[in-house]
Amino acid sequence: MDKTKKYVMALDQGTTSSRAIIFNHRGEAVATAQKPFEQIFPRNGWVEHDPGEIWYTQSSVAAEAIARADLTGQDIACIGITNQRETTILWDRETSLPIYNAIVWQDRRTSAYCEQLIREGKGETIREKTGLRPDSYFSATKIKWILDHVEGARERAEKGKLCFGTVDSWLLWRLTRGKIHATDVSNASRTMLFNIHTLQWDDELLKMFDIPPQILPEVKASSEIYSETSTTLFSTKIPISGIAGDQHAALFGQQCLEAGMTKTTYGTGCFMMMNTGEKIITSKNNLLSTVAWKIGDRVDYALEGSVFVGGAVVQWLRDTMKLVQSWEEVQPLAESVPDNGGVYFVPALTGLAAPYWDQYARGMLIGLTRGTQPGHIVRAALEGIAYQVYDVLKAMEEDTQTLSGEMKVDGGAIHYDFLMQFQADIFRGNIIRPNVHEVTALGAAYMAGLAVGYWEGTEQLKDHGSIDRVFTPLLPADTAQAYIDRWHKAVGKTLDWMK
């Protein structure tokens, strides 16, 4: 393989759009294509996607990216897949047709059932085996809901006629025309059915959720050759050789390859991960233990804290509240006022995740006066993202008994200098923003490239990437602490709101 003349394609299937990015051997993006797709809200708290739309937007941007780079399929050394995690799809094994819409990770329809599991004392078993806590966020209860509510689904599942998959499995199935039904350890570890100690689907959990094992995908490493493409989308067969959930791929793309290294992705939600090496750390602060990745025989683990509504709050301000017309208007409006004017926005629009894990919390805007301006509200929304990330970081520091002096960041919202500066101000440490913002896709590309020898090892990757900007604290420490104290007072008023 002439590596200087070959490229790696990453398929980045996110919560609101599908993207394809082509990287060269230096880890530089040479072409990008992106398409949004519909967000379906059948009822309050329900969130769905059309699996067919996921597939055709993802396949079309793959073709578009190749065309933009003036390449052909023969120029692509391999494909890596990274995806929105936990989102659940069930499809017919023979026809490849979904039997229901994809139930998205944000969906809350199984919240009451998760509360029931906790009341029945099953939460500890789930936590010990999976590193997770009973919550509708994860795949298991979504699978059960589909089997229980789609006519004939359970009978067909028990006969082995259905397949379950997170989005990576769905794309792999379609790219190989149904030849491969598989996933990687990182995505499997987010289903609430996978034992992160044995690295196997867990029989006790399958019985607990009444899920037939025959619908489950085979679990493989994050970096290995799964198969070759069989679709006519490409002019030649291309190895599919890397799969990782989006946050795991971002951790790898940020080269947080050693224990203690931390990154936060500011996407639709915000997701903080700390590499804990080959050790599983059990959180005392409602964080999650998860598989980071498996490469070769080595399995790395991570500690994770999730924020359900991060950049999505900006989308809400634009599309629902009409306070801004575009993403570009957000920062100037936030900076049009000297401070938040006493306004706090808790963006618990789909409940609160770590460290609170309150699925009955709801969003709150508090501190309004006759003098409140649109700028105060928009500023409070951006600050609300930073406060949530701060809460997760403090919980992570307590669990690991380490103080973080820096945090690497990625995702769409890191383009807001105001948000990054405010994050540094309350974090009291450095926020490191890379030049390559698409590190999630880059992580998937790295995993795929390593499997086919496009890159010889992780040491070679360290020469890639550079820093765009380091944000350091500017706000006085006592002022920052006063802001944090008022934030926690506001959060306290949102808890259990819908219970």
Side-chain angles (χ1 to χ4, degrees):
M1 180 191 303
D2 186 344
K3 299 171 185 177
T4 62
K5 296 181 180 180
K6 288 280 189 175
Y7 302 84
V8 176
M9 172 181 284
L11 303 182
D12 184 356
Q13 205 299 301
T15 306
T16 59
S17 69
S18 298
R19 293 186 298 170
I21 303 178
I22 297 175
F23 295 95
N24 62 21
H25 194 253
R26 295 182 298 278
E28 299 166 335
V30 299
T32 301
Q34 179 172 356
K35 283 189 178 180
F37 53 85
E38 183 182 6
Q39 306 295 300
I40 304 169
F41 306 102
R43 298 185 191 177
N44 184 34
W46 292 27
V47 189
E48 298 178 358
H49 293 157
D50 177 353
E53 190 176 14
I54 287 176
W55 164 241
Y56 73 69
T57 55
Q58 189 65 77
S59 58
S60 65
V61 294
E64 183 180 342
I66 288 177
R68 283 175 178 266
D70 195 23
L71 302 173
T72 71
Q74 294 180 338
D75 299 308
I76 306 300
C78 57
I79 294 173
I81 298 173
T82 184
N83 56 287
Q84 52 166 314
R85 304 171 302 169
E86 298 95 18
T87 294
T88 297
I89 305 172
L90 268 70
W91 65 90
D92 186 280
R93 191 177 291 273
E94 292 185 3
T95 67
S96 297
L97 294 176
I99 66 168
Y100 189 78
N101 276 342
I103 301 182
V104 181
W105 57 272
Q106 297 166 315
D107 189 279
R108 311 305 295 169
R109 76 187 66 186
T110 60
S111 293
Y113 175 59
C114 292
E115 288 291 319
Q116 177 185 329
L117 291 171
I118 294 172
R119 288 195 303 271
E120 292 174 353
K122 296 176 180 176
E124 188 59 24
T125 297
I126 292 171
R127 189 191 65 79
E128 288 178 355
K129 289 174 175 285
T130 69
L132 312 176
R133 51 174 289 124
D135 194 88
S136 56
Y137 178 26
F138 306 109
S139 308
T141 61
K142 304 179 194 296
I143 301 170
K144 177 176 171 57
W145 190 94
I146 294 175
L147 294 177
D148 289 344
H149 289 83
V150 175
E151 185 177 357
R154 184 168 293 282
E155 180 182 0
R156 292 164 68 191
E158 290 171 350
K159 291 180 180 179
K161 294 184 177 181
L162 298 182
C163 296
F164 151 71
T166 42
V167 173
D168 59 301
S169 295
W170 171 241
L171 294 178
L172 184 61
W173 179 272
R174 296 305 301 260
L175 286 166
T176 62
R177 299 177 70 89
K179 292 180 181 178
I180 303 296
H181 183 209
T183 188
D184 90 297
V185 289
S186 71
N187 280 291
S189 73
R190 310 298 297 188
T191 61
M192 215 158 61
L193 297 171
F194 187 73
N195 191 313
I196 63 173
H197 304 273
T198 65
L199 301 181
Q200 301 288 330
W201 298 116
D202 192 273
D203 290 338
E204 183 180 1
L205 296 176
L206 290 170
K207 291 177 182 177
M208 182 185 297
F209 293 105
D210 195 17
I211 294 174
Q214 51 265 43
I215 72 171
L216 300 174
E218 180 183 0
V219 182
K220 293 178 172 286
S222 307
S223 179
E224 69 170 273
I225 298 175
Y226 283 69
S227 183
E228 294 180 328
T229 57
S230 299
T231 176
T232 56
L233 180 64
F234 305 106
S235 60
T236 186
K237 295 182 181 297
I238 303 173
I240 304 167
S241 52
I243 293 179
D246 50 11
Q247 305 315 314
H248 314 254
L251 190 70
F252 199 81
Q254 288 275 29
Q255 298 193 45
C256 295
L257 306 179
E258 299 175 8
M261 300 183 75
T262 304
K263 71 87 197 173
T264 299
T265 298
Y266 294 74
T268 302
C270 294
F271 301 89
M272 183 182 299
M273 268 194 174
M274 177 186 287
N275 187 327
T276 62
E278 295 180 277
K279 181 180 179 181
I280 300 174
I281 293 181
T282 301
S283 175
K284 297 179 181 178
N285 292 284
N286 292 323
L287 302 183
L288 307 175
S289 304
T290 192
V291 179
W293 50 71
K294 180 182 180 184
I295 297 178
D297 294 328
R298 179 184 169 101
V299 178
D300 281 83
Y301 293 89
L303 201 60
E304 177 178 356
S306 303
V307 170
F308 288 151
V309 177
V313 75
V314 178
Q315 186 179 35
W316 181 78
L317 290 171
R318 182 193 65 185
D319 298 343
T320 304
M321 301 305 294
K322 311 296 184 184
L323 281 175
V324 294
Q325 298 302 311
S326 68
W327 298 94
E328 291 79 11
E329 294 179 18
V330 172
Q331 180 157 304
L333 192 54
E335 293 178 331
S336 69
V337 291
D339 53 43
N340 64 17
V343 177
Y344 287 79
F345 185 8
V346 183
L349 305 181
T350 57
L352 284 173
Y356 303 100
W357 285 106
D358 185 347
Q359 54 198 348
Y360 296 108
R362 287 297 180 267
M364 184 183 68
L365 190 62
I366 195 168
L368 303 179
T369 68
R370 289 284 297 272
T372 298
Q373 302 172 28
H376 290 120
I377 296 174
V378 173
R379 187 183 186 107
L382 290 181
E383 290 179 354
I385 298 172
Y387 287 129
Q388 292 180 104
V389 170
Y390 168 86
D391 284 344
V392 173
L393 179 65
K394 291 295 130 179
M396 197 167 284
E397 287 180 343
E398 186 174 332
D399 278 336
T400 60
Q401 295 296 298
T402 59
L403 291 177
S404 302
E406 65 180 36
M407 181 170 67
K408 296 184 177 182
V409 297
D410 59 84
I414 68 170
H415 296 282
Y416 294 129
D417 287 356
F418 170 82
L419 173 60
M420 294 296 97
Q421 183 58 57
F422 189 74
Q423 191 72 80
D425 286 339
I426 62 172
F427 167 44
R428 313 310 298 171
N430 293 340
I431 301 297
I432 302 174
R433 184 170 68 187
N435 268 318
V436 178
H437 294 168
E438 306 302 339
V439 295
T440 301
L442 183 59
Y446 281 159
M447 289 179 176
L450 288 169
V452 300
Y454 185 76
W455 290 293
E456 296 174 4
T458 56
E459 285 296 318
Q460 189 177 7
L461 306 181
K462 292 181 179 180
D463 296 333
H464 299 172
S466 58
I467 295 173
D468 171 41
R469 181 173 171 183
V470 177
F471 295 85
T472 60
L474 299 178
L475 198 68
D478 56 347
T479 304
Q481 189 59 52
Y483 281 153
I484 292 166
D485 292 343
R486 188 61 61 89
W487 157 259
H488 287 147
K489 184 178 180 181
V491 170
K493 295 182 182 300
T494 72
L495 304 178
D496 277 343
W497 182 259
M498 296 300 294
K499 192 168 184 179

